[in-house]
Amino acid sequence: MIGYVVRRLVGAVIVLLVLSAVVYGLFYAGPSNPALLACGKGCTPDHLAEVKSAMGLDKSLGDQYLSFLHGIFFGHDYSSGPSVRSCPAPCLGYSFETDQSVTSILTSALPVSASLALGALVLSLLLGVGSGLVTVLSGRRWLDRGLNAVVLLGYSTPVFLVALVLLIVFCSDLKWLPFPNYVPLTQNPGQWAQNLLLPWIALALIGSASYARMTRAQMLETLSEDHVRTARAYGLSERRVITGHVLRGALTPLVTMAAIDLAAIMTSAVLTESMFGLPGIGHALVDAVHGGDLPVIVGVTVAAGSLYILANALADILYAAIDPRVELA
Amino acid sequence: MTQTVLTEEAAADPGPSSPPLPRAALWRRLRHDKAAATGLVIIAVMVLVAVFAPVLTALEGQDPTTQHSELVDSAVGTPLGAHGGISGSHWLGVEPQTGRDLFARLVYGARISLGIAFGATAIQVLIGVSIGIAAGLGGRLVDSALGRLTDLSLAFPYVLFAIGLMAIVPDSIPRPLVLAVVIALVAWGGTARLARGQTLSLKTRDYVAAAKLSGAPPLRVARREILPGLVTPVLTYAALLVPSNMIAEAGLSFLGVGIRPPTPSWGQMLSQGTTWFRPDVLYVLVPGGALFVTLLAFTLLADGVRRILDPKNTEVAP
Amino acid sequence: MTAAGADAGEHAVIAGAAGAAGAPLPEQSAGRGPAGSGPVLDVRGLSIDFPVRGGQVVHAVKDLSFSVPAGAALGIVGQSGSGKSATALALLGLHRNTSARVSGQVWLNGVDLVAASDAEVRGLRASQIAMVFQDPLTALDPFHTIGDQIAEVYRVHTKASRAQARARAIEVLDHVRIPEAARRARSHPHEFSGGMRQRALIAMALACRPKVLVADEPTTALDVTVQAQILDLLDEVRAETGMALVLISHDLGVVAGTADEVLVMNEGEAVERGPAERVLLEPQDPYTQGLLAAMPRLDAPLPGRAGQAGAEPEVLVRVEDLAKHFRRGGSLLGRAEPFRAVDGVSLELRAGETLGLVGESGSGKTTLARMLVRLLTPTSGTVVFAGNPISTLSERELRPLRRDLQMVFQDPLSSLNPRRSVGETIADPLRIAGTSSDAEIRATVRELMAKVGLDPETYDRFPHEFSGGMRQRVGIARALAPRPKLLICDEPVASLDVSTQAVILELLKEVQREYGLTVVFVAHDLAVVRQVADRVAVMRFGQIVELADAATLFDAPQHEYTRTLLDAVPVVDPVAAREKREKRRLALAAG
């Protein structure tokens, strides 16, 4: 088992390195002019030169990438003439436009995305797995068809549409909730939850569709397996059969899916953050794109990618730990 | 949830090695499956609208890019007239601020949105199937290398990467094309994984070994024995890719990094619609409704396709 | 050997079920119920219908009646589609809440399982009647340990505490001769070997001391030596506990050594029933007679083989020190020991002969066979075919030789492309060769089809429209199309019914004669191999342990493993079967 964990993590790190290299190369070697973009509006040739040397763009691409990596572990100082902007480890780049390190942008954005992701995931699981289980265990056809219809709706609705509808209905028309405005958990838990309620619901309404369908499919498959027949053949009551022998096998794959989903929401709930004005990772990226802030784009993409890759690796490890049948090849 | 985390079950539902259903039976099933048939009809209508957009706008007498500032309130920007300015010459009214004809933008937007969705799907299937078969049939080394590549593609935070990429692409290349390519490039992993899995499973079938014994070179084996077995699962999977790509494009345009005005796109129209929904609700309703209905149609069809192509399905009429 | 609790005391007078074929052997009398006591299981007029798509109904079982006295053993024999499995499930009421419609009566312990309530039936399961399923790997829950599963069953039916249940679990595991029962009770099913798993399943069945044990094809998934052990175990357990046994199988030999009474089913009906000796040695019903005639027997006279006249036949294939190693996982940190599927095999194939290649699963016979036609590339060693070192040639160099090396596969379902018509499948090698016109190819194919017993008019039909035996004929025709010199048959009849088996074997023999083929016949079934082979090679752990001509190997085996294999093969004569069992028991005791 330890061997598998190590192998999987090492594999993840390798993929991470390649990812960062690809991202870095793509953006900095790409057709756009990084210095010009970073310099922003009202850029004078002198300022441009300053930015260029501060960003180290006068060096070769390979050197740039290596110093980028170096910065992640040891920090980097961007000096151009008298002014020095320090960027302590882990340094993922420096945003000249907003005059802060990418890491500090991420540090303030991460809790927001994490709050959003956790709540949405919990709600999705409750709603999705719950409805899937209820449908299968009740055995009623109309429930099954109803669930299928709802799932289809969930698949075909873009999240920003749902968000829009929720905002219109609850904030604008019914005025049950104020327009969301993020409040950190540490500041005021009650308001934190209240402001995140609508984004959670928006994401959960759509996300639960996948879980509901998967739960249903897994349950049906497990129920038809031989060992369930054995349990019945040995006189176990249906309830015991389900709780003791079906649920575990059916729901285990969902655990890993949830782990990956957590990372996915954190890194990709851009639209939701945008609709609800949540200053999370996705939002930071969109701002950077609109502003042409390349270091932020690169840094955030690499950070988010890393998160996702690690989550995948952890999910695999988790699955191997839970399911005794998995061959740790 | 990234809506591109496609149904694991679509991938876990490999086409069985049972006989393919004859065309007649498939059509019969499709006709009987009301949900799938409805979906198909709606999609057909949408595609026709997209294809005949110039004809339709000519009938109306407008075009999607001309601004009619005389039809909007100069101070606030809201369209004059009831319901966002509906009239005989502007069937669905006009956009706030710019006064562009909404109907024309809707039908041309259909072109863009559908075109990108289909285009991206086609590219994804092409890349994914090629890589998947190569990985499945190739030796250990090839499989390993391609597998890592696929992992990489799957590991990208899809949306973020697409956003980032859109930022650096120069404006000289037509944006719809770029969008289709970008969306395809970040999301071919699922198809590749499916194709590889299916290829591996088909590879072990004795009839593939028999083909080798008959002297068939590897390319012939791939073409005649493996590829036909991939059609069903890939088709089923691709049916869900289309709406997924559509949502991706809509999302990107919504954020302002996809299709930029004056080129119309449903997602982009929605984005602007959100600021105007109070005075002019039609501006949100029209593109939002179109998007929703089209997506629903695709999902219904995809679900139906999965049911119809499964020869073991006993629920459907024979 | 621990006695199974208080039940060991049921040693009473012989019941009348021994039949008319002479006095029963002494060891049979243990465990029978007293004469005159009612049957422990009484089935009357059982009918089972399955509704299928299109509103039709399949009558799986039609008006079946039989009874089993306490402590007796009933063998139910039938081919696929005979209804025997449906019957087995009905004995435990497992058709409830499914679409199947069951009518009739199944009396067990004074309760009619068909009419009783769900709760009543649940109570009877495991405590009065228990079932052992065919595939122990899927039949057991992979997430729980064996001990936990047995303990759970025990606690459901008794008021035992956790500790008592666990103790009982270890007790029964020990009873079925699983070594280190206490430790193994804490293992998961996939950590056991196939035979051990089946023992564990039997242990679970015994836990609540049921009166009837139903075993549905309990040994079909097992190797022949393991099969013998399991059947011996079932017999032993029955003798010790006085339990009745219902043994269901498609193999008459499996049933012969264990059953007192045999019931033969065909298409849902009982066609013959009676004492084992009579049914198996002097069958009355034509169906049973046909079945017995079709079965390959170890005790039947060896078929006369057309010998090569005069001179020593030339060597067609020379295999030297052939090996195939498969890498096992774990690449990054340390290299795992490779799996030696074939570990140094040398032999010669003489032109025109049939070499039988036998072995149990994992012996390497299939791997070896595939290397002979270069479907697999050897890790080391050489294969020389007619002077060509085919083991080392490149694909391109090999291609012109491919037509001489052909194979018939085991599974008729996966050996034919479902999307291609059978005619085209047979034509494929000809089309690839590209030397004949379309008309010529079609004509050749039609000829081939006729030769293997297929109607040439069915050229354009698809595989799923044919039965298993017909599909196998298509596979044979395809292998013959390029007019090969060497034909490997990899378990060609293992997936077929007994009656179809005989027919296909005849076809293969005929085809070999006509085409002058050299054949390698791979099989796990020794009786089948005996019918077709000139020489036989026995494989174990990737090596050949014995290679001799058929007569010598079967009558005077040299190697101990060959002897063990032969001892384990089931025979249809009940008396001979019991003798073999006794022999095995003594061998085991001697250790």
Side-chain angles (χ1 to χ4, degrees):
Chain A
M1 183 67 195
I2 306 280
Y4 179 72
V5 171
V6 173
R7 273 201 306 271
R8 198 64 190 80
L9 285 177
V10 169
V13 168
I14 295 180
V15 176
L16 251 170
L17 279 173
V18 177
L19 170 73
S20 60
V22 167
V23 170
Y24 198 88
L26 214 54
F27 286 111
Y28 279 103
S32 59
N33 186 340
L36 194 58
L37 286 174
C39 184
K41 310 198 184 355
C43 198
T44 64
D46 289 334
H47 193 203
L48 184 64
E50 193 192 326
V51 167
K52 223 172 171 173
S53 81
M55 286 177 74
L57 289 173
D58 36 4
K59 291 189 266 178
S60 75
L61 191 65
D63 281 339
Q64 287 180 44
Y65 176 62
L66 285 173
S67 73
F68 174 68
L69 281 184
H70 185 265
I72 295 180
F73 293 106
F74 302 107
H76 196 271
D77 286 329
Y78 293 88
S79 56
S80 51
S83 59
V84 177
R85 300 176 183 86
S86 74
C87 175
C91 180
L92 288 157
Y94 197 90
S95 163
F96 288 94
E97 270 187 49
T98 55
D99 204 24
Q100 50 176 323
S101 71
V102 173
T103 315
S104 64
I105 297 180
L106 277 172
T107 340
S108 47
L110 199 65
V112 182
S113 291
S115 312
L116 179 64
L118 266 168
L121 188 67
V122 167
L123 211 56
S124 287
L125 280 173
L126 283 174
L127 202 59
V129 176
S131 49
L133 280 177
V134 163
T135 312
V136 171
L137 294 177
S138 77
R140 292 192 213 285
R141 266 216 122 175
W142 62 266
L143 255 183
D144 195 36
R145 270 198 263 263
L147 184 74
N148 202 33
V150 170
V151 162
L152 287 178
L153 275 175
Y155 274 144
S156 44
T157 319
V159 70
F160 53 89
L161 213 56
V162 174
L164 196 60
V165 169
L166 282 175
L167 278 171
I168 294 178
V169 169
F170 288 101
C171 301
S172 181
D173 286 347
L174 294 174
K175 297 211 199 306
W176 282 355
L177 288 165
F179 278 94
N181 187 24
Y182 182 73
V183 171
L185 174 65
T186 46
Q187 196 178 315
N188 183 339
Q191 290 213 333
W192 170 82
Q194 186 189 50
N195 278 301
L196 281 172
L197 195 61
L198 281 183
W200 282 342
I201 293 178
L203 281 172
L205 281 177
I206 295 184
S208 53
S210 298
Y211 287 114
R213 178 167 262 195
M214 223 188 155
T215 306
R216 178 184 174 278
Q218 289 290 118
M219 285 293 289
L220 286 178
E221 195 189 306
T222 313
L223 278 170
S224 67
E225 278 176 11
D226 282 349
H227 66 86
V228 173
R229 180 181 63 173
T230 307
R232 289 199 188 110
Y234 280 81
L236 269 59
S237 68
E238 197 62 18
R239 210 184 102 225
R240 235 204 144 93
V241 170
I242 305 267
T243 52
H245 295 272
V246 176
L247 281 180
R248 180 164 171 184
L251 296 181
T252 317
L254 285 166
V255 166
T256 52
M257 195 170 149
I260 299 177
D261 240 350
L262 190 64
I265 308 178
M266 277 180 71
T267 55
S268 311
V270 187
L271 289 158
T272 318
E273 288 177 7
S274 197
M275 290 295 301
F276 292 102
L278 298 166
I281 299 181
H283 197 94
L285 185 62
V286 174
D287 277 348
V289 167
H290 282 306
D293 197 341
L294 217 54
V296 176
I297 297 178
V298 172
V300 169
T301 309
V302 171
S306 317
L307 198 66
Y308 199 73
I309 292 170
L310 278 173
N312 261 287
L314 281 172
D316 279 349
I317 294 174
L318 204 64
Y319 194 82
I322 295 183
D323 190 338
R325 291 172 294 182
V326 169
E327 224 185 81
L328 303 179
Chain B
M1 245 62 55
T2 52
Q3 296 184 275
T4 55
V5 173
L6 280 177
T7 48
E8 287 287 351
E9 334 124 24
D13 230 29
S17 78
S18 26
L21 291 165
R23 295 247 162 81
L26 285 173
W27 274 118
R28 220 181 320 129
R29 277 190 174 183
L30 185 58
R31 275 203 311 272
H32 279 118
D33 191 330
K34 287 197 270 288
T38 316
L40 191 60
V41 166
I42 297 179
I43 294 171
V45 166
M46 289 298 178
V47 169
L48 285 171
V49 164
V51 167
F52 289 108
V55 175
L56 289 167
T57 48
L59 275 173
E60 193 203 21
Q62 303 293 338
D63 71 85
T65 46
T66 312
Q67 307 197 5
H68 303 274
S69 38
E70 71 278 11
L71 292 172
V72 297
D73 183 313
S74 46
V76 188
T78 48
L80 304 165
H83 301 296
I86 296 186
S87 67
S89 50
H90 294 277
W91 296 350
L92 286 174
V94 297
E95 275 190 347
Q97 266 194 333
T98 59
R100 290 186 285 230
D101 180 61
L102 200 55
F103 177 74
R105 286 184 76 71
L106 183 71
V107 301
Y108 270 89
R111 276 195 166 189
I112 302 284
S113 299
L114 282 172
I116 295 180
F118 280 120
T121 308
I123 301 175
Q124 275 166 340
V125 167
L126 206 65
I127 300 179
V129 169
S130 312
I131 293 193
I133 294 187
L137 289 180
R140 231 183 138 96
L141 220 60
V142 172
D143 188 16
S144 222
L146 288 177
R148 295 297 131 247
L149 188 65
T150 312
D151 280 350
L152 201 62
S153 156
L154 285 167
F156 280 178
Y158 165 78
V159 178
L160 289 189
F161 203 64
I163 295 176
L165 273 178
M166 294 308 298
I168 61 161
V169 168
D171 289 329
S172 51
I173 311 177
R175 271 189 106 75
L177 183 64
V178 175
L179 257 182
V181 171
V182 166
I183 293 178
L185 277 180
V186 294
W188 55 264
T191 321
R193 206 167 11 173
L194 176 68
R196 175 183 175 272
Q198 270 296 99
T199 306
L200 285 178
S201 133
L202 287 172
K203 194 165 78 155
T204 59
R205 298 279 154 81
D206 284 336
Y207 62 79
V208 174
K212 270 208 234 161
L213 285 177
S214 301
L219 226 61
R220 187 189 167 101
V221 171
R223 185 173 49 88
R224 291 198 61 184
E225 317 291 336
I226 307 272
L227 207 55
L230 286 177
V231 169
T232 308
V234 169
L235 210 64
T236 315
Y237 192 70
L240 275 176
L241 278 176
V242 179
S244 185
N245 290 332
M246 225 174 147
I247 294 180
E249 180 269 319
L252 288 173
S253 302
F254 187 89
L255 287 171
V257 297
I259 301 291
R260 297 216 179 101
T263 325
S265 143
W266 290 349
Q268 174 218 100
M269 286 159 73
L270 254 180
S271 157
Q272 283 160 330
T274 52
T275 36
W276 291 96
F277 76 85
R278 206 78 80 89
D280 182 7
V281 76
L282 211 63
Y283 193 33
V284 165
L285 233 51
V286 163
L291 192 61
F292 179 68
V293 165
T294 312
L295 285 169
L296 189 61
F298 270 113
T299 317
L300 283 174
L301 183 64
D303 204 46
V305 161
R306 192 175 52 88
R307 271 198 309 272
I308 291 168
L309 285 178
D310 181 5
K312 288 188 290 210
N313 195 332
T314 49
E315 289 178 9
V316 185
Chain C
M1 204 161 53
T2 51
D7 310 324
E10 295 262 63
H11 303 296
V13 181
I14 304 160
L25 299 169
E27 61 261 30
Q28 275 184 282
S29 48
R32 295 283 174 82
S37 64
V40 68
L41 180 65
D42 193 7
V43 176
R44 298 184 200 159
L46 181 68
S47 296
I48 306 176
D49 293 332
F50 291 99
V52 288
R53 192 203 308 187
Q56 290 163 314
V57 169
V58 169
H59 302 288
V61 178
K62 304 172 195 158
D63 200 24
L64 183 68
S65 299
F66 62 86
S67 67
V68 184
L74 172 70
I76 300 183
V77 178
Q79 303 302 298
S80 53
S82 58
K84 58 191 197 304
S85 285
T87 307
L89 293 174
L91 294 179
L92 275 97
L94 285 170
H95 291 296
R96 282 166 181 257
N97 299 321
T98 67
S99 56
R101 292 198 285 264
V102 181
S103 60
Q105 300 165 3
V106 175
W107 289 98
L108 173 74
N109 201 40
V111 177
D112 176 13
L113 285 168
V114 180
S117 68
D118 281 352
E120 274 185 292
V121 171
R122 263 206 306 273
L124 288 174
R125 290 175 185 161
S127 62
Q128 297 294 323
I129 182 166
M131 186 139 163
V132 174
F133 293 95
Q134 174 174 338
D135 187 356
L137 181 58
T138 58
L140 291 167
D141 188 329
F143 292 106
H144 295 280
T145 64
I146 297 270
D148 281 346
Q149 295 186 51
I150 300 178
E152 182 183 24
V153 168
Y154 192 66
R155 285 183 60 213
V156 162
H157 292 281
T158 63
K159 296 277 187 281
S161 67
R162 274 189 208 274
Q164 288 173 321
R166 232 174 295 144
R168 177 70 184 151
I170 298 176
E171 192 185 344
V172 284
L173 284 173
D174 193 42
H175 190 181
V176 297
R177 295 176 187 258
I178 289 184
E180 297 181 70
R183 186 177 71 85
R184 311 249 38 204
R186 288 195 296 273
S187 307
H188 293 271
H190 63 274
E191 297 175 64
F192 285 68
S193 71
M196 285 292 162
R197 244 178 264 140
Q198 195 62 298
R199 287 176 192 267
L201 199 51
I202 295 172
M204 190 152 102
L206 295 175
C208 303
R209 303 189 181 87
K211 298 234 181 27
V212 183
L213 182 66
V214 179
D216 185 8
E217 303 266 20
T219 57
T220 311
L222 305 172
D223 278 334
V224 73
T225 46
V226 179
Q227 168 173 274
Q229 291 168 9
I230 296 293
L231 290 174
D232 291 347
L233 175 68
L234 282 173
D235 196 56
E236 198 183 298
V237 153
R238 180 172 73 94
E240 285 168 358
T241 63
M243 207 173 52
L245 176 65
V246 178
L247 179 59
I248 299 164
S249 179
H250 65 279
D251 189 338
L252 287 155
V254 161
V255 152
T258 314
D260 305 314
E261 205 176 296
V262 171
L263 173 71
V264 180
M265 284 182 77
N266 183 31
E267 293 188 354
E269 291 173 324
V271 297
E272 184 150 7
R273 176 187 4 209
E277 277 90 353
R278 190 188 55 68
V279 173
L280 295 171
L281 296 176
E282 290 158 22
Q284 310 286 308
D285 184 87
Y287 177 74
T288 321
Q289 290 166 346
L291 223 54
L292 281 163
M295 266 193 74
R297 318 261 291 254
L298 272 187
D299 46 355
L302 258 177
R305 303 284 308 161
Q308 307 296 113
E312 183 79 8
E314 48 159 316
V315 171
L316 185 65
V317 180
R318 188 167 281 125
V319 175
E320 256 178 60
D321 216 17
L322 200 62
K324 179 70 180 164
H325 297 170
F326 289 105
R327 250 189 300 170
R328 279 196 278 230
S331 51
L332 216 60
L333 298 177
R335 204 137 295 225
E337 183 65 25
F339 172 56
R340 297 170 197 276
V342 174
D343 200 12
V345 164
S346 303
L347 56 84
E348 283 175 0
L349 275 178
R350 305 181 196 141
E353 76 165 338
T354 302
L355 175 73
L357 194 55
V358 295
E360 301 187 289
S361 55
S363 57
K365 57 191 195 298
T366 301
T367 313
L368 177 60
R370 292 195 170 221
M371 284 197 281
L372 288 175
V373 286
R374 223 355 241 287
L375 272 180
L376 284 175
T377 313
T379 312
S380 64
T382 56
V383 177
V384 179
F385 170 77
N388 298 296
I390 59 172
S391 46
T392 48
L393 290 177
S394 73
E395 266 305 321
R396 191 167 305 145
E397 291 167 329
L398 193 57
R399 214 159 284 155
L401 291 169
R402 281 259 182 235
R403 65 159 193 271
D404 289 330
L405 311 160
Q406 289 297 317
M407 193 156 173
V408 174
F409 297 92
Q410 171 178 351
D411 183 6
L413 202 56
S414 79
S415 62
L416 303 178
N417 189 327
R419 289 175 187 79
R420 198 169 300 150
S421 69
V422 297
E424 280 308 309
T425 297
I426 301 173
D428 211 33
L430 299 171
R431 291 204 190 276
I432 295 174
T435 48
S436 323
S437 72
D438 182 59
E440 286 170 351
I441 290 179
R442 280 185 178 260
T444 314
V445 171
R446 291 173 70 97
E447 228 179 273
L448 275 168
M449 285 176 77
K451 188 150 291 168
V452 297
L454 290 166
D455 180 5
E457 297 307 312
T458 58
Y459 188 106
D460 292 310
R461 297 243 188 101
F462 287 88
H464 68 274
E465 302 178 63
F466 295 82
S467 70
M470 298 293 233
R471 271 183 241 143
Q472 203 61 314
R473 292 178 198 261
V474 175
I476 295 174
R478 173 181 56 194
L480 294 175
R483 303 202 79 99
K485 298 209 184 77
L486 177 65
L487 182 68
I488 313 281
C489 300
D490 187 5
E491 304 265 21
V493 295
S495 304
L496 305 172
D497 272 348
V498 156
S499 17
T500 322
Q501 265 188 28
V503 171
I504 297 292
L505 283 175
E506 266 314 308
L507 175 63
L508 281 170
K509 280 198 256 188
E510 192 185 307
V511 150
Q512 178 190 23
R513 264 197 308 268
E514 192 173 323
Y515 282 70
L517 298 168
T518 309
V519 174
V520 175
F521 196 100
V522 180
H524 66 279
D525 188 337
L526 281 157
V528 166
V529 166
R530 190 168 179 277
Q531 278 207 315
V532 293
D534 299 315
R535 290 194 300 155
V536 179
V538 178
M539 280 190 79
R540 190 189 201 205
F541 297 146
Q543 293 175 328
I544 294 186
V545 299
E546 187 164 351
L547 171 59
D549 58 81
T552 318
L553 193 104
F554 284 97
D555 295 334
Q558 301 294 304
H559 196 275
E560 191 186 321
Y561 178 65
T562 317
R563 279 199 284 264
T564 317
L565 265 186
L566 286 168
D567 282 343
V569 174
V571 285
V572 165
D573 180 345
V575 176
R578 281 193 211 106
E579 276 172 16
K580 280 185 118 178
R581 170 158 295 151
E582 189 56 31
K583 206 167 139 194
R584 285 196 295 266
R585 195 176 69 79
L586 289 171
L588 197 66

